[in-house]
Amino acid sequence: MRCLLTALWPALALLAWAGDAAAFSDPTRFAMPFRAAAGDPNQTPSLDEDGGGDGRWFTGSASDSYTCEVCHSGGQATDMVLRMDPLVGDPAGTMEIILSWAAPPGPPPLLAGNFEVTDDRGLPAGAMRLPDDPTPQDQCGGFPAGSLFEATPQRPVLGYLACGATRFRFLWTPPVGQSGPFWLSGAMVHSDDQTDSDGDGVTKVSAAILRGASEQYEEQLSAGCGALGRGPTGRGVGLPGGLLLAWFGLCVLRRRSHPGRSKT
Amino acid sequence: MRRSQPLLVATLATLAIACADAPSGRGMPDRATFDAVVYPLLMRDCGFSTCHGAPGRFFHLYGPGRMRLDPTSEPFAPPTAQELELSFQRSIAMLDSQGRPEASLLLAKPLDPQAGGAGHQGVDHFGRDVYTSEQAPAYQQLLRWASTGTGVLR
């Protein structure tokens, strides 16, 4: 019994005090190692260096196939329209790709996401770039809404930063000598502006890009649902819940003198 | 109430395993290797807040950039001793496999069934498990670490 009680209280205390998960508000955080000093015992990590994505950008591509849904959940995602339009007369077959959403009344939605184009194996394919002729729709206060990152060597990822724009527009040129198919993968998080991953919605993007397409392609993207079940807040049970659980757990324990092993 | 049930199950599972012998009674996997190698891998591949960062799961992990054990922790501050200890304890509890680390929940669940694993709910949207092959470098590192506690060194 002493063993049971010894194990019970730490478990309950941990459940009661479980905290929030941080959101990656800085796009470069995805590339940062999880442990800044893991590879170098002489390096002392600063308070702001740990906890990176360790090279995972959660685009949902074949090589990085879990999406933002593994962290962000519990909120309303934004319905979007994906449009892919071949540039007329471009011999390289460049496509203009636009992800757009309706501007709701009130403040603009806080959206952020990562996108990449790969082949079937998940290897980077072609070249993405931001347009040279941004319109006010593509910008936030005169600055581009998107940024191109070299996630890992030879792996470009386009990031969209929340800023009030109503669309995300970029260009993609297919690789020479490859016929495809190619895949645009990514996800857009609609944040509730609480700096954590709870209460956020995710709109997933996974669309084939056909080389040599001559017509515009358009697809409605509805809100994605969570990959794994979770409650609306995703937080711990809180102190009152922990105390209630402690009481209930003790009641159960009084009836169980020889608990069996559990394999969950 | 719906949220309480998994928490209760997790608590009772903790009790059961805490009172059992160490995995197969063959000693504990190396703690220093866990902290330096295994913990970062588990946090990278498993410790997301809707997955094994969720407090309702029996196997849960805490640390920077993911779920923090103490909500007052700085989001990206290094893991605390308590977070490391809890993550270690939950990990070794997943190793109880009668001396066959590859059969343990920690190794079998993230391995795709087509590669001999047990599979689990957390597949990607292609239906693949976390590690699609036993040759995946992260799987190999987990296996090496797990083997140090079973006497089956690799």
Side-chain angles (χ1 to χ4, degrees):
Chain A
M1 190 57 165
R2 191 180 65 180
C3 163
L4 293 176
L5 290 173
T6 302
L8 174 68
W9 288 110
L12 292 173
L14 295 174
L15 290 171
W17 286 106
D20 298 332
F24 284 10
S25 53
D26 174 2
T28 60
R29 180 76 61 180
F30 293 95
M32 294 171 66
F34 175 75
R35 291 300 308 274
D40 180 0
N42 296 318
Q43 182 187 351
T44 303
S46 77
L47 286 183
D48 206 29
E49 284 184 331
D50 277 4
D54 224 338
R56 303 189 71 156
W57 289 67
F58 304 100
T59 60
S61 73
S63 60
D64 194 354
S65 54
Y66 290 83
T67 72
C68 309
E69 288 177 315
V70 295
C71 286
H72 296 272
S73 67
Q76 181 64 45
T78 302
D79 290 340
M80 297 187 175
V81 176
L82 173 67
R83 207 177 79 201
M84 295 191 274
D85 213 351
L87 292 187
V88 177
D90 182 67
T94 300
M95 309 278 289
E96 182 184 59
I97 300 173
I98 300 176
L99 196 59
S100 59
W101 51 92
L110 289 171
L111 296 167
N114 295 326
F115 301 86
E116 65 179 328
V117 180
T118 66
D119 63 13
D120 273 343
R121 296 166 297 169
L123 298 175
M128 295 184 293
R129 69 178 194 276
L130 293 167
D132 299 324
D133 57 342
T135 69
Q137 281 181 291
D138 305 317
Q139 293 182 311
C140 330
F143 294 97
S147 298
L148 189 59
F149 298 94
E150 192 81 2
T152 55
Q154 311 302 316
R155 183 189 170 199
V157 169
L158 259 181
Y160 171 81
L161 312 175
C163 66
T166 55
R167 69 181 192 180
F168 182 36
R169 182 167 69 107
F170 59 94
L171 301 164
W172 176 78
T173 303
V176 176
Q178 290 185 41
S179 57
F182 307 106
W183 294 89
L184 170 65
S185 303
M188 197 73 96
V189 173
H190 185 162
S191 169
D192 63 353
D193 199 20
Q194 294 298 305
T195 71
D196 60 19
S197 59
D198 296 331
D200 301 337
V202 177
T203 307
K204 291 189 290 187
V205 178
S206 179
I209 309 177
L210 301 178
R211 186 189 186 98
S214 57
E215 294 183 356
Q216 183 185 95
Y217 170 86
E218 190 169 297
E219 180 182 353
Q220 302 285 328
L221 303 172
S222 297
C225 54
L228 295 166
R230 193 176 188 207
T233 64
R235 299 183 181 201
V237 296
L239 186 57
L243 292 174
L244 182 62
L245 193 59
W247 172 79
F248 188 63
L250 285 171
C251 290
V252 171
L253 285 174
R254 289 172 68 176
R255 296 168 181 268
R256 291 167 57 97
S257 56
H258 300 288
R261 291 188 177 201
S262 171
K263 289 198 171 188
T264 304
Chain B
M1 186 60 188
R2 197 177 62 181
R3 285 181 56 76
S4 300
Q5 288 173 335
L7 291 173
L8 177 62
V9 170
T11 304
L12 294 176
T14 305
L15 295 173
I17 292 175
C19 297
D21 293 336
S24 304
R26 289 177 173 82
M28 202 74 78
D30 177 56
R31 174 61 191 271
T33 304
F34 177 84
D35 289 0
V37 177
V38 174
Y39 174 69
L41 279 179
L42 294 176
M43 292 302 283
R44 184 193 70 183
D45 295 343
C46 317
F48 315 116
S49 53
T50 68
C51 305
H52 293 286
R57 297 288 174 86
F58 167 68
F59 176 50
H60 61 230
L61 304 158
Y62 289 106
R66 313 291 193 272
M67 292 294 286
R68 298 313 305 248
L69 184 56
D70 179 351
T72 63
S73 296
E74 288 293 324
F76 299 106
T80 64
Q82 291 89 345
E83 287 174 332
L84 283 166
E85 175 65 19
L86 174 64
S87 301
F88 177 69
Q89 291 297 339
R90 290 303 169 102
S91 298
I92 60 170
M94 296 284 284
L95 286 177
D96 190 11
S97 61
Q98 306 301 314
R100 293 178 55 239
E102 63 272 21
S104 69
L105 295 176
L106 190 72
L107 274 297
K109 292 195 77 170
L111 184 62
D112 200 277
Q114 291 188 351
H120 77 315
Q121 187 184 1
V123 295
D124 67 18
H125 63 110
F126 298 104
R128 301 176 307 193
D129 212 329
V130 177
Y131 305 123
T132 55
S133 157
E134 287 179 300
Q135 306 312 313
Y139 178 89
Q140 284 289 315
Q141 286 183 298
L142 290 178
L143 181 59
R144 273 196 294 274
W145 171 73
S147 300
T148 64
T150 61
V152 189
L153 293 173
R154 293 162 193 269

